[in-house]
Amino acid sequence: MWRGLLTLVARAARGPLRPCTRQGSGTPVPGSGATIFALSSGQGRCGIAVIRTSGPASGHALRSLTAPRDLPQARRACLRLLSDPRSGEPLDRALVLWFPGPQSFTGEDCAEFHVHGGPAVVSGVLQALGRVPGLRPAEAGEFTRRAFAHGKLSLTEVEGLADLIHAETEAQRRQALRQLDGELGHLCQGWADTLTKALAHVEAYIDFGEDDNLEEGVLERADSQVRELEVALGAHLRDARRGQRLRSGAHVVVAGPPNAGKSSLVNLLSRKPVSIVSPEPGTTRDVLETPVDLAGFPALLSDTAGLREGMGPVEQEGVRRARQRLEQADLILAVLDASDLASPSSCNFLDVVVNPAAGRSPNGNSQRLLLVLNKSDLLPPGGPDPSPDLPPHLLLSCLTGEGLVDLLEALRKELAAV
């Protein structure tokens, strides 16, 4: 048993936990002696654009564009006239900030120019910076790479920063912010500390096992700690797919028999006319997909062909693709016509898709299903539930929007658990 413990501890101690610590890579950053500059606020017309420099010549660049003024007080915004360092032509009146290293984002001397966001102004300031000796345009991600090299960000925080910049929904923003704040890094550091302690106990037993000064049960405690850590690591790795879904979006497939209102539901959730809506059954014959924000979660919404025995080769291919998407879905939105639950197509869909999914153990399969009874506006007002024997379901009218709030709340809970 102890040989296996030693092997696990040794492998884990040499494992990929080290990059999670907040420290530099130990190797020089390519071109780290150069001072870089770039537009940090994104392309396009805007009220204010932020241009940033990083490197030893940042102070010289700031002086060159604001001559004859001296450097402003550190970390305090000052209004300065920016001029071309060669021709002296005025470029813009801007706010400038000076961040002497190491108290800066990259750990180097940094300067920021908050200029008006017109293309001509931004282009003029960038060209002027390019004419300052020692400055060059930054490569993609170079500011962040320098921040990591100087110990300002760990690798997990760098990943969190990238996710935060690309976040499109509230759930993505919250996850990215937690990672940027060091939540994952602290978790990895805790794992590393546990392994280091277990390794120290094992080495102490090997070196001093015959001495009476060694506490009893050292190996047993080390074995227990490593086994607990193994369980925690396994749970974290199994949960990694949830984080990936939150980045790329869960796959939500809208399925049901023909003319149940699937395309209407897709258009309602996406807030745009993605699918053609027609009273004629079988209008949708291919899979139509659109990225959407569902209750704060990113999702890829798929509208599929109505599940029935196709009337021709084209519709049969659409049904085949619909069944294929059902197998790939993270969440199925099963749609039935509330006013036509006794039809053969509705009964067949319940038997083939809804009932098997409803009877499946939530822990045994990650695929989830929400049953939606559409066209509730066709039901008698104040009447009894049209389907008391069905699995748990939601009533919705895509025509009036009644029931949409409850559906979005149910989607929020389901997507949070995906």
Side-chain angles (χ1 to χ4, degrees), residues 334 341 370-373 385-395:
L341 294 175
L370 267 179
L371 177 58
V372 179
L373 302 187
D385 189 333
S387 49
D389 298 330
L390 286 180
H393 55 272
L394 297 165
L395 285 174

Side-chain angles (χ1 to χ4, degrees), residues 5 8-15 17 188-202 222 225-227 229-230 233:
L5 173 62
L8 177 60
V9 171
R11 286 179 179 175
R14 296 192 300 267
L17 295 175
C188 292
Q189 187 59 51
W191 292 338
D193 293 343
T194 299
L195 285 173
T196 301
K197 186 182 296 185
L199 183 60
H201 287 163
V202 172
Q225 290 171 352
V226 173
R227 290 187 187 279
L229 180 58
E230 185 178 18
L233 286 170

Side-chain angles (χ1 to χ4, degrees), residues 76-87:
R76 177 171 292 184
C78 292
L79 183 63
R80 296 286 172 90
L81 177 66
L82 303 185
S83 304
D84 189 290
R86 288 187 181 177
S87 65

